[in-house]
Amino acid sequence: MFDVISVIGGRGHAWAREMWHAGTYVFIGGAIVSVLAALTGFFDWLRSSEAGTQARRTANTHATIMSTVTVLAIVDIALRLNGYHTHATTPVGIMVLSLVIAGLVSLGATYGGTLVFDYGFNVETAGDSPVWHTSEQDVFPGRHDDATP
């Protein structure tokens, strides 16, 4: 949002530059947290899911999306730091990249939420849910049997 506000404000407002700088700080903090989350997520994945299960496929999708987010955030930060002292507002290209990253975070969080809230991944005993059995067929949210949709 800082980037969007900065672009809307334009060069005529001093606060637009402050929003540009605030967005940079937020991205740096987010990238640091993202790397730490990726490390803990990797160890959870390694010992908490079995290959061939829906839970593993969902975890792999979540990891792929969030790893992409981390790489894009690092690119975003590099672009920001390159123009940090010279730009009066957020460059439009960086704003677009930031919005793409935000969209991917939302998508990745959806898969992560499914792991935690639907599958009980590393939260509680999942019981005898089909998502923990090796199969090629996925169970859709809200379905707790192995019947076809």
Side-chain angles (χ1 to χ4, degrees):
M1 287 309 300
F2 290 133
D3 291 340
V4 172
I5 294 168
S6 176
V7 169
I8 290 170
R11 297 178 191 270
H13 297 92
W15 52 264
R17 183 179 182 93
E18 299 303 319
M19 293 291 124
W20 154 240
H21 289 175
T24 301
Y25 294 130
V26 169
F27 259 91
I28 291 170
I32 291 167
V33 171
S34 177
V35 169
L36 296 174
L39 290 173
T40 60
F42 173 73
F43 289 112
D44 282 348
W45 172 86
L46 193 60
R47 62 189 163 96
S48 300
S49 63
E50 185 179 326
T53 64
Q54 180 177 346
R56 175 63 71 98
R57 289 189 297 273
T58 303
N60 288 346
T61 301
H62 170 71
T64 300
I65 293 168
M66 298 313 274
S67 295
T68 301
V69 163
T70 301
V71 169
L72 289 176
I74 291 169
V75 169
D76 190 286
I77 291 168
L79 293 171
R80 286 171 178 279
L81 294 178
N82 187 44
Y84 185 80
H85 294 292
T86 56
H87 295 294
T89 64
T90 304
V92 173
I94 291 177
M95 180 195 70
V96 170
L97 179 59
S98 299
L99 292 172
V100 167
I101 291 169
L104 287 172
V105 166
S106 297
L107 180 63
T110 300
Y111 283 97
T114 296
L115 286 168
V116 172
F117 296 109
D118 290 347
Y119 302 169
F121 191 82
N122 281 349
V123 176
E124 60 187 40
T125 304
D128 192 29
S129 173
V131 302
W132 296 102
H133 300 285
T134 303
S135 73
E136 293 294 321
Q137 182 178 359
D138 290 340
V139 178
F140 293 100
R143 303 281 313 245
H144 299 288
D145 58 4
D146 53 3
T148 57

